Amino acid sequence: AIKPDVDATETLTERILMRREADLLTLVGTAANWANTTSLTSTFAWSANTSLSNPILFVDSASSVIAQNSGKLPNTVALDDRTFRAAKEHTATVDRVKFTSADSIGPAILARLFGVESVLVSGAIQNTGQELLSETMAYMMTDCAFIAYVERSPGLRKPSALYTLEQMSEGNPYRVKKWREEEREGDFIEVNTKFLHVAPATQCAYLIVNTVQ
């Protein structure tokens, strides 16, 4: 059945979630936000697929820096889709698993090789073109690898590379309003929320940029 109110609410919520993801990826991918960063030259880019561009060694080195500077071992690696593909097809990665696993290399296998709990892959794409003009499609996350300790049980005294602050209303971060305007003979729906991504402990993360060239 056609439910305009439901469709409108879901569309507005989806746009909020896209804004939320875009804000987070901007925070993560901006080198100035982090205490530890590296910009790779073409020789060391993971897409070069040489012994000098071994993704596992880069993540191991970043993990050591994070541990030394923050006392925390990273538990999360976030990659854009292009960097993920370069990492999983890299000769060094394939050589580590070719005799031990018949499965295709995915985030779970990369997580074990990187020594973290999870590898997150951003495949989000957005159209940055102007309305009614030609589409300009691009990945929301730039080519980079973000290695971080992210606290699973947030607390005021618990360091973490990232936190997201939300204002809750009766246990729900979203508030939906509906009203009718007789002059326009239509119902209107508004969805709003308040959130803020913050980086309270920049030493708990390491950003590697220009991973694909």
Side-chain angles (χ1 to χ4, degrees), residues 174-188:
Y174 300 100
R175 293 176 297 280
V176 180
K177 298 179 182 178
K178 178 182 177 181
W179 69 94
R180 181 170 181 81
E181 293 188 6
E182 292 296 343
E183 293 182 358
R184 303 176 67 175
E185 297 183 348
D187 295 335
F188 289 79

